[in-house]
Amino acid sequence: MDDSSSIATRRLAAIQTHLFASTDNSNSQIQTNVTAGEFVDDRRYSVVLPEKLNSGKWNVYRSARSPLKLVTKFPDYPEIETLHDNFVHAVDAFPDYKYLGSRVRVDGTVGEYKWMTYGETATARSAIGSGLQYHGLLKGACVGLYLINRPEWLVVDHACSAYSYISVPLYDTLGPDAVKYIINHADLQAVFCVPATLNVLLSFLSEINSVRIVVVVGGIDEHLPSLPATSGVQLISYSKLISQGHSNLKPVCPPKANDIATICYTSGTTGTPKGVVLTHGNLIANVAASSLQIRFQSSDIYISYLPLAHIYERANQIMAVHCGVAVGFYQGDNLKLMDDLAVLRPTIFCSVPRLYNRIYAGIVNAVNTSGVLKQRLFNAAYNSKKQALLSGRKPSPIWDRLVFNKIKAKMGGRVRFMGSGASPLSSDIMDFLKVCFGCPVIEGYGMTETACIITIMDDSDNSSGHVGSPNPSCEVKLADVPEMNYTSEDQPNPRGEICVRGPSIFQGYYKDEVQTREVIDDEGWLHTGDIGMWLPGGRLKIIDRKKNIFKLAQGEYIAPDKIENVYAKCKFVAQSFVYGDSLNSSLVAIVSVDPDVMKDWAASEGIKYDNLGQLCNDPRAKAAVLAEMDAVAREAQLRGFEFAKAVTLVPEPFTVENGLLTPTFKVKRPQAKAYFAKEIANMYTELSTMDPTLQKPL
């Protein structure tokens, strides 16, 4: 054995000694590191490794499920290296199983779900891929998907994987300018759309020179507009493309693991969209690793309504395919989602905190208005079941029969797994959902740039208020942020900017080396911009956002995301935007109100009004909402300077359409600041009148 391999062997043995506490250390010159040993043997969730062997600093966390090797493939199916391989595996294993379902419209009404099997989807996928080849698209061409969730979205995506095309989702809510930018930036050669989004495309057709074919899903060829010959664009229906593909079938052209699978443009809160380049290997690594924790089954039914253009839903779909899950689509209208749930009766429900907050508020409001006896029964059932769950005991089934089965029925009655992502979920609401729905509620944390999951909760972990331990496909460390007083040396809990490395990390931003270098350092660490803290057991808690932090006049740092998450539990608050700056010593808030709660409150107070806008301007309404916000803030133990000192109520919601939300429902802060500039100025004027000490410093 040469010196280098001998040194490497000794190093590996040393690391293993630190990881796995041994009863016999007599032959080792390095004694067991108690901390690292605890993380594996007692606490389970993470192990800790040194970033550099000679640094003496143990700061890199990995999943205890795979401490010595980052997962790149499904453990039982190492032959699956691409999304195409994953789909072929599903077609071979589940050819006649239901796969894609949508509700059929009969005589203008919405009926039951109609299904395509995995085998039928494979046939359609081959026809679409062959049709694109027939129209001259070569391997590596970019294909745009400009439509909301529906079966055709996934058929086209599978066709892209099978024929080595690159799928590029286009959010239907991005707006024309962003869509035009993405089409040109990614040089899209084909775009799949629906009649509504076709109109947007036609409005700037002369400005998108790379597009050769536009395919209209749900359109009829005879009704499609004729395009000028000078446009160079062919416009056909989805059904015609399928028939052309069937008549000119071509063999698949499978990609390799390091080929680009998709370019996902993240809208962000400022600037032009950035194209996140993800390979087949990135996506397979992430989903394969999470399969060690989340287990879907071929008997499961999943409802698809989260935007397919978002990595959270894409990853869920890859997992669904791998496990042979049936995927039912919503009608396309969030207001009809509850009806879709009642008909589909899914077993898996994945959502975002914004919707879970609404479910929580709806249940609490129903309980509070149900009368004293029912309210007491609910509280007794809730407290008893919660205590049982927290202590690891099985709760009495009587509570489900008396109380919770009625709540479960609202979502079809069969949900066995609930997932949450995209932004932090309040621990109180997570516990509430666990009790009411009687199933695991698993929160994950991730980014488009990491092909989805960075950390995820363990299903055996009853605690809440954190986002779990590293996904086995990546390792995580916290980098010091001295200007915010966060360091990895902080006791008892290390804190810092969350950095991620591993096989699921993206290849870079498309055609943007500068921004890529800004987030990936020389050692391959992706800097997320989020501030985290390690809890006992190697579980991560998100505590701040590096970019969203601002300082008040007195020097206190504010994390508005955290405060808004607290105010989300206020019954009046549908959405909130908390604002402050270094010229003021206090915070103010814009609150988009819950119309039903406001109307009920006004009725109970005997307040007359003509419309919701008038009620929002009523000083009594502002005082009531601010009092409730203060109560919620005290309960959450916010510090005094984190309380909003003034509030403006607005009747209209923050939406993607009015430019106040990203497509993943995060507040666009610069845009919100500009949109509500007048209201913010008025609140600070009002505060300075009430208390001269709150005036801006000279």
Side-chain angles (χ1 to χ4, degrees), residues 411-582:
M411 294 176 65
R414 295 195 301 199
V415 172
R416 69 166 190 87
F417 174 92
M418 299 175 94
S420 183
S423 60
L425 179 66
S426 156
S427 57
D428 288 352
I429 290 177
M430 175 178 281
D431 291 341
F432 186 86
L433 294 169
K434 284 180 183 175
V435 172
C436 290
F437 290 96
C439 68
V441 180
I442 303 295
E443 185 172 10
Y445 159 66
M447 299 171 68
T448 310
E449 288 86 344
T450 61
C452 199
I453 296 173
I454 296 172
T455 64
I456 188 165
M457 295 177 68
D458 195 279
D459 58 1
S460 65
D461 187 359
N462 286 330
S463 66
S464 53
H466 60 85
V467 290
S469 55
N471 197 21
S473 64
C474 64
E475 53 190 9
V476 179
K477 73 168 183 178
L478 300 183
D480 294 348
V481 188
E483 69 271 22
M484 294 172 68
N485 296 321
Y486 293 130
T487 79
S488 56
E489 305 296 327
D490 289 346
Q491 293 298 329
N493 305 105
R495 302 183 299 176
E497 182 183 8
I498 300 164
C499 299
V500 194
R501 186 169 66 179
S504 53
I505 305 303
F506 79 131
Q507 306 306 295
Y509 295 116
Y510 192 56
K511 298 180 183 175
D512 198 337
E513 190 62 35
V514 173
Q515 290 208 71
T516 301
R517 283 201 302 270
E518 285 178 7
V519 296
I520 299 182
D521 65 25
D522 293 340
E523 294 176 329
W525 289 103
L526 169 69
H527 292 247
T528 65
D530 291 314
I531 305 294
M533 175 174 77
W534 289 116
L535 299 180
R539 293 167 295 187
L540 189 67
K541 180 182 177 71
I542 313 293
I543 57 172
D544 241 334
R545 174 75 186 154
K546 198 174 175 184
K547 288 181 183 173
N548 281 352
I549 302 305
F550 54 78
K551 192 190 289 188
L552 292 177
Q554 67 272 43
E556 298 287 1
Y557 280 103
I558 295 293
D561 294 332
K562 179 186 81 170
I563 298 168
E564 287 161 3
N565 203 40
V566 168
Y567 286 147
K569 291 163 64 180
C570 174
K571 67 182 179 184
F572 292 105
V573 177
Q575 296 156 294
S576 67
F577 167 59
V578 170
Y579 178 78
D581 58 40
S582 58

Side-chain angles (χ1 to χ4, degrees), residues 200-216:
V200 179
L201 287 176
L202 295 179
S203 71
F204 51 72
L205 191 66
S206 61
E207 301 172 68
I208 47 176
N209 299 322
S210 60
V211 176
R212 303 168 61 160
I213 178 172
V214 172
V215 185
V216 184

Side-chain angles (χ1 to χ4, degrees), residues 64-77:
R65 293 176 183 271
S66 187
L68 296 177
K69 183 184 178 188
L70 295 178
V71 170
T72 58
K73 299 176 186 176
F74 292 97
D76 296 336
Y77 300 95

Side-chain angles (χ1 to χ4, degrees), residues 369-439:
T369 55
S370 63
V372 176
L373 285 178
K374 285 186 177 178
Q375 198 171 343
R376 284 180 181 168
L377 177 62
F378 178 88
N379 290 336
Y382 181 83
N383 292 329
S384 173
K385 192 171 177 183
K386 183 179 178 180
Q387 286 305 314
L389 289 172
L390 289 176
S391 60
R393 291 182 288 109
K394 195 170 183 179
S396 168
I398 188 68
W399 300 124
D400 281 347
R401 287 201 294 272
L402 286 175
V403 176
F404 298 114
N405 284 347
K406 293 169 191 168
I407 294 172
K408 293 179 193 176
K410 297 286 187 188
M411 294 176 65
R414 295 195 301 199
V415 172
R416 69 166 190 87
F417 174 92
M418 299 175 94
S420 183
S423 60
L425 179 66
S426 156
S427 57
D428 288 352
I429 290 177
M430 175 178 281
D431 291 341
F432 186 86
L433 294 169
K434 284 180 183 175
V435 172
C436 290
F437 290 96
C439 68

Side-chain angles (χ1 to χ4, degrees), residues 97-118:
Y97 282 51
K98 292 189 296 190
Y99 176 29
L100 303 177
S102 55
R103 297 184 72 180
V104 183
R105 292 188 178 276
V106 182
D107 302 327
T109 60
V110 179
E112 294 294 316
Y113 275 84
K114 183 181 178 183
W115 296 90
M116 290 173 69
T117 66
Y118 276 89

Side-chain angles (χ1 to χ4, degrees), residues 603-668:
S604 69
E605 296 291 317
I607 294 173
K608 300 280 189 276
Y609 59 95
D610 295 328
N611 55 58
L612 187 58
Q614 184 187 346
L615 182 59
C616 286
N617 287 324
D618 191 310
R620 293 169 292 181
K622 287 185 182 182
V625 173
L626 193 57
E628 177 85 8
M629 289 167 65
D630 286 349
V632 169
R634 278 193 297 275
E635 189 181 342
Q637 298 182 326
L638 291 185
R639 293 168 293 180
F641 58 83
E642 292 178 310
F643 282 53
K645 294 293 192 287
V647 65
T648 295
L649 309 182
V650 294
E652 70 275 3
F654 307 166
T655 65
V656 178
E657 289 76 12
N658 64 20
L660 297 178
L661 292 184
T662 71
T664 53
F665 307 123
K666 295 183 179 73
V667 174
K668 288 186 169 184

